[in-house]
Amino acid sequence: MKLATAAQMREIDKLAIEQYHLPGVVLMENAGAAVAREVERLLGGIKDKKICVFAGLGNNGGDGFVAARYFANGGAKVKVFLIGEKARITGDAQIHADVLSRMGVDVMEITGDRDWDKVRIAVTFSDCLIDALVGTGFHGEMSEPLALIVDIINRSGKRVVAVDVPSGVNADNGQVQGSAVKAHLTVTFGLPKPGLLLYPGASQAGEVILDGIGLPLPLLATAPVQQMTITAGYVKQLLPKRRADSHKGLNGHVGVIAGSHGYTGAAVLCASGALRAGSGLVSLAVANSLRSIMEAKMTEVMTRTLPELASGAIGLKSIPFVEELSNYWDVIALGPGMGRQNETQAAIREIVRNAEKPLVIDADGIVALAGHMDVIHQADAMAILTPHPGEMAQLTGLSAMQVNQDRIGIARRTANQWGSIIVLKGAPTIVAFPDGEVFVNTSGNASMATGGTGDVLTGVIAALIAQGLSSHDAAVAGVYLHGLAGDIAAQAGAVGLIAGDLLQALPAAIAGLQS
């Protein structure tokens, strides 16, 4: 499903009005009616319920006026508090405010101390509060009196429904500067907004309900929007279909270059992830001294030894051996646990520079590229980089906090700059492509925030490429499949999940999508 920024959604609304002659006042009517329906569902009926609507002067407030009318018509006891002067309401919102006034529903301006007393009393005795303050157009930090209203709403202990986006949340990136409404339910319109999926905005939104508000489907389908969510239905179409007469040679061969002393687990998890995601063959190339460890840990993975440094990591002498081995591989998974010795990092860059097969690069493989991103352009195939925010910070010179503040924007810019597919891990994981296309993952959970899960992801994506998927489709499907395995594993308990649990859940995740 597409995700629309605030500006993109405004453009869609504009086209609906201009090209389809669908009046804005009708779209506002549909939006307010959708909010009223969801509130009625939430409360189990609205007759005799006490509902407070907090409305701003713009279109978000107009949606609130419509909802208030439906509440009143349904027998609820409605109070509407306006943040500003009635005389400043214009356009479609004014039409709906006038209807409320003609019905005898009082729209009370908040201007003085006594008004705030009325607000607090009304909130105390309310069953539900409606946030129709500022909506998608808001950027920056809440100022007074909005900040005070938000504080009263959040401290109320009442059920809160936000209109389109919780006030104070940036609709485009989910950021909150200062305060924002904490909703139990958000009713959003037309297309979902990125800020409802990105944190901290996602934690403010509660349950998100999408209502099309009557926007023409051809308009939504053709809207030039490059953000998408990754859904089960989308991934189901991508997953490779296994033939009834299949054999291991038809299901691809993943080559994994990973591991060093103290980090053998990363190599094991990556290689095992490739097997569990369906690769017919997996070879693990490691420093010679690690071979016996790997063979004790894994039965089904073939080990290949490489010349090593005294530290137990590979060095530049490994390059000819890697080039020979890669002739037999369909894809190379590179980096987990390889170490950060200078020569090892130099060897990683040479492997990338000389690679003639698709690459999935993670962990120490990514660190080796910091300050050397020109190397990535020399590989024959487009590489997939899978950084977490800390690794992305090393590549870009930003802080991890700055990365998380603009996850979509940074993933998109770096994918374009480096000509690579970026899998920016986190909550949620973002997949970005050089042409500007971005996918936001919808699977996965906080239980997966444990060491080794990223190594599994690298193996999963590599396995899908080995089975014939393009790097584009493998990145998208692999991210969702990995998260789904985490969701399945977490059913046994949210605390204590380990990366190995994802390995066990991967076959069930694949089967569930293919059924």
Side-chain angles (χ1 to χ4, degrees), residues 13-27 216 219:
D13 288 344
K14 179 183 176 184
L15 292 175
I17 294 168
E18 295 178 352
Q19 294 185 4
Y20 288 84
H21 305 293
L22 188 59
V25 70
V26 172
L27 296 176
L219 177 58

Side-chain angles (χ1 to χ4, degrees), residues 364-427:
D364 295 329
I366 291 172
V367 174
L369 296 175
H372 304 274
M373 291 308 297
D374 58 302
V375 171
I376 208 74
H377 294 287
Q378 298 175 39
D380 277 0
M382 185 183 296
I384 300 175
L385 278 64
T386 65
H388 57 56
E391 291 162 346
M392 180 60 88
Q394 288 181 272
L395 292 178
T396 59
L398 301 171
S399 68
M401 180 180 293
Q402 289 172 314
V403 171
N404 279 327
Q405 286 173 343
D406 188 19
R407 292 177 61 78
I408 288 178
I410 288 172
R412 174 178 277 145
R413 286 193 295 275
T414 54
N416 177 265
Q417 180 182 349
W418 300 331
S420 301
I421 299 169
I422 301 297
V423 176
L424 180 55
K425 295 180 289 196

Side-chain angles (χ1 to χ4, degrees), residues 142-230:
M142 283 286 190
S143 58
E144 301 297 348
L146 289 172
L148 180 55
I149 285 286
V150 170
D151 184 65
I152 291 172
I153 291 173
N154 288 346
R155 290 176 179 271
S156 69
K158 307 296 181 178
R159 283 173 283 194
V160 177
V161 175
V163 177
D164 213 4
V165 172
S167 294
V169 171
N170 186 306
D172 295 345
N173 59 28
Q175 290 304 295
V176 173
Q177 297 180 25
S179 59
V181 168
K182 176 83 171 174
H184 295 81
L185 175 71
T186 296
V187 185
T188 197
F189 311 127
L191 294 171
K193 316 304 181 294
L196 299 176
L197 281 75
L198 301 169
Y199 288 87
S203 63
Q204 302 297 119
E207 179 188 2
V208 177
I209 300 294
L210 175 66
D211 194 283
I213 63 170
L215 287 165
L217 286 179
L219 177 58
L220 295 176
T222 58
V225 173
Q226 285 191 292
Q227 303 87 222
M228 298 272 291
T229 56
I230 310 177

Side-chain angles (χ1 to χ4, degrees), residues 273-480:
L275 276 177
R276 288 292 185 176
S279 182
L281 296 167
V282 177
S283 292
L284 173 59
V286 293
N288 184 58
S289 62
L290 302 181
R291 180 172 188 169
S292 59
I293 298 173
M294 298 303 182
E295 292 182 346
K297 284 177 171 286
M298 296 178 293
T299 302
E300 297 88 351
V301 174
M302 298 176 287
T303 54
R304 300 290 183 262
T305 58
L306 300 173
E308 64 184 302
L309 305 175
S311 61
I314 70 167
L316 292 169
K317 291 182 179 179
S318 298
I319 301 303
F321 295 87
V322 170
E323 291 178 353
E324 174 64 23
L325 289 169
S326 65
N327 291 326
Y328 301 95
W329 300 340
D330 297 305
V331 59
I332 300 171
L334 176 68
M338 288 184 70
R340 301 187 181 182
Q341 298 85 348
N342 289 338
E343 188 175 338
T344 301
Q345 298 272 284
I348 290 170
R349 291 190 289 272
E350 281 301 304
I351 292 170
V352 173
R353 184 179 285 113
N354 299 331
E356 297 179 351
K357 300 294 175 65
L359 287 164
V360 185
I361 307 173
D362 186 31
D364 295 329
I366 291 172
V367 174
L369 296 175
H372 304 274
M373 291 308 297
D374 58 302
V375 171
I376 208 74
H377 294 287
Q378 298 175 39
D380 277 0
M382 185 183 296
I384 300 175
L385 278 64
T386 65
H388 57 56
E391 291 162 346
M392 180 60 88
Q394 288 181 272
L395 292 178
T396 59
L398 301 171
S399 68
M401 180 180 293
Q402 289 172 314
V403 171
N404 279 327
Q405 286 173 343
D406 188 19
R407 292 177 61 78
I408 288 178
I410 288 172
R412 174 178 277 145
R413 286 193 295 275
T414 54
N416 177 265
Q417 180 182 349
W418 300 331
S420 301
I421 299 169
I422 301 297
V423 176
L424 180 55
K425 295 180 289 196
T429 292
I430 308 296
V431 186
F433 299 91
D435 64 356
E437 185 181 34
V438 170
F439 287 81
V440 179
N441 192 33
T442 59
S443 65
N445 60 84
S447 300
M448 298 170 66
T450 183
T453 54
D455 303 319
V456 174
L457 174 61
T458 300
V460 170
I461 295 173
L464 294 175
I465 295 173
Q467 292 171 82
L469 268 65
S470 66
S471 293
H472 175 289
D473 290 350
V476 173
V479 163
Y480 185 87

